[in-house]
Amino acid sequence: MQEKLSGILRKTAQVFSGGGRGVMSSMSAAYTGSTAAASRTGPHPFWIIVRKEMSDIMLSWRYVILLALMLLTCGASLYTAISSIKTAVPTGEAVDSFLFLRLFTLSDGTIPSFITFVGFLGPLIGIALGFDAVNSERNKGTLSRMMAQPIHRDYVINAKFVAGISVIGILFFALGLLIMGLGLLTLGIPPTFEEFLRMIFFLMLSVVYIAFWLNLSIVFSVRFRQPATSALSCIALWIFFSMFYTMIIEMIAKGIAPVNPTHMDQLVNYQQTVQFLMRLSPGHLFNEATLTLLMPEVRTLSLFVPPEQTYGALPSPLSVGQSLLLVWPQLTGLIAAVLVCFMAAYMMFMRQEIRSR
């Protein structure tokens, strides 16, 4: 009897212990599910890093100085454009066609136009926002502390690019809309829908062009440990493409120019070779695309057009769709350059040692 009683008690204890373990396991599973649901409802770590980078950029003195410089140049170019339009109206010049686009392209010769300022100062903005994106945090030791958190490593480099391009987009779209608003108040003529589309495409193209220099500066920021070295490398490339590259291409063009061309094909091949070499510069691609978008009268970007192609052509402006088709190779080249620089920075950062020394 005692043996039977002890066996019954043992079985009862096993049942209660198993049930307790089942209750505890169900409670732990419910707690894990609730914490997982709470983590899913919160912001993603990637967007937390993006907001942190954007706040660091916008609250820095560097961004304030760049913003003041862009506002100053924007106001000066807008003033010269409006003055040129007002002086051109009594003389009978054809300014009624695509009048709003003249605010971005027109100048009286004393101060450059808005697109000239964008082509010149845009690379400086991209370089200023990215030359110390990675190496400054590595030198301060904040990068290793950030990576000690349970986040993916590629979140950091991706967030820096997204934050930089977001700040650039906000800046240039705000400036573009400011020019439209001031031009509307000054001229009293609203833009047409086609002019509005052309201005929006121009602003998008400007953001893509500056994104190239932003990614290039991030590449040097990952490659070099000192921010001064990365900044000087980016500025050297900007000066090379802005000033010396055109001189080099002109010297090459003089060397390969046909002395006594006997066929039209020789001239065509010569012009195509020079144009191909010029289009290796991102600034030249940007200038060609902006002139085509903001000047509908531009019908071709070739340096040499055979007479049979111009025979019977009407001197009418192109539509928005035709202008986009004309600049599609330039836009594709700029986007490809942005992606190449981003992939280079991404691969270098993912393979690099980030622990502080």
Side-chain angles (χ1 to χ4, degrees):
M1 291 293 294
Q2 292 180 354
E3 293 178 356
K4 292 182 179 178
L5 183 60
S6 61
I8 292 172
L9 291 176
R10 253 193 328 269
K11 291 182 180 178
T12 305
Q14 290 176 0
V15 170
F16 277 103
S17 62
R21 285 196 298 269
V23 171
M24 292 299 294
S25 62
S26 62
M27 290 177 62
S28 62
Y31 177 75
T32 304
S34 63
T35 54
S39 63
R40 285 195 299 267
T41 56
H44 197 273
F46 173 75
W47 297 111
I48 294 177
I49 302 176
V50 170
R51 287 186 294 179
K52 175 255 181 187
E53 294 293 333
M54 291 183 64
S55 63
D56 290 344
I57 292 174
M58 292 184 175
L59 296 178
S60 62
W61 280 103
R62 182 191 319 168
Y63 179 76
V64 174
I65 294 173
L66 291 174
L67 180 60
L69 182 62
M70 287 302 298
L71 287 175
L72 180 62
T73 55
C74 172
S77 62
L78 180 63
Y79 174 77
T80 56
I82 292 176
S83 302
S84 300
I85 291 175
K86 288 183 177 180
T87 55
V89 170
T91 60
E93 296 185 9
V95 295
D96 53 341
S97 179
F98 300 102
L99 179 63
F100 243 79
L101 297 180
R102 305 296 179 91
L103 298 176
F104 293 87
T105 60
L106 202 61
S107 175
D108 59 354
T110 57
I111 299 178
S113 61
F114 181 74
I115 60 174
T116 305
F117 278 122
V118 172
F120 182 77
L121 296 178
L124 289 180
I125 295 176
I127 293 171
L129 296 183
F131 76 94
D132 61 345
V134 177
N135 48 21
S136 63
E137 291 197 11
R138 184 186 291 114
N139 295 333
K140 295 176 182 177
T142 56
L143 184 61
S144 58
R145 289 197 294 267
M146 184 188 303
M147 296 309 302
Q149 305 299 321
I151 59 175
H152 295 286
R153 184 168 181 167
D154 56 345
Y155 285 177
V156 178
I157 191 69
N158 294 338
K160 290 183 180 296
F161 170 69
V162 172
I165 202 67
S166 301
V167 171
I168 292 171
I170 293 172
L171 173 62
F172 274 87
F173 273 91
L175 288 176
L177 295 176
L178 178 63
I179 290 180
M180 295 180 198
L182 293 177
L184 179 61
L185 292 175
T186 306
L187 301 176
I189 303 174
T192 62
F193 182 70
E194 183 176 356
E195 289 177 328
F196 180 76
L197 286 180
R198 287 181 179 273
M199 288 183 284
I200 293 298
F201 286 135
F202 161 70
L203 295 175
M204 294 172 62
L205 179 65
S206 302
V207 173
V208 173
Y209 174 61
I210 300 174
F212 164 75
W213 293 100
L214 173 67
N215 279 337
L216 187 64
S217 61
I218 293 177
V219 169
F220 287 111
S221 177
V222 177
R223 175 62 181 83
F224 299 110
R225 189 173 182 86
Q226 297 298 326
T229 307
S230 60
L232 289 175
S233 302
C234 295
I235 293 175
L237 279 178
W238 169 66
I239 294 175
F240 172 75
F241 282 113
S242 299
M243 300 176 58
F244 298 106
Y245 186 77
T246 305
M247 301 178 186
I248 295 174
I249 298 302
E250 290 178 354
M251 294 174 59
I252 295 175
K254 291 180 180 179
I256 65 175
V259 181
N260 295 316
T262 57
H263 298 284
M264 186 66 67
D265 295 338
Q266 295 179 353
L267 291 176
V268 173
N269 293 332
Y270 166 73
Q271 296 291 343
Q272 289 178 352
T273 303
V274 174
Q275 192 173 36
F276 173 76
L277 294 176
M278 288 296 297
R279 287 176 176 174
L280 294 178
S281 171
H284 185 76
L285 294 178
F286 175 73
N287 291 332
E288 285 187 343
T290 51
L291 289 177
T292 306
L293 287 176
L294 297 180
M295 294 182 179
E297 299 84 6
V298 178
R299 302 181 60 88
T300 181
L301 295 174
S302 301
L303 297 176
F304 179 79
V305 181
E308 58 269 12
Q309 295 185 7
T310 60
Y311 179 76
L314 298 176
S316 59
L318 297 179
S319 62
V320 180
Q322 292 173 340
S323 296
L324 288 176
L325 289 176
L326 190 61
V327 302
W328 185 252
Q330 285 76 12
L331 180 59
T332 306
L334 287 175
I335 294 176
V338 171
L339 294 179
V340 167
C341 291
F342 176 75
M343 290 304 299
Y346 182 87
M347 295 175 64
M348 291 171 59
F349 181 78
M350 294 299 290
R351 297 178 179 180
Q352 199 174 49
E353 178 62 47
I354 60 174
R355 289 180 297 181
S356 60
R357 297 178 181 178

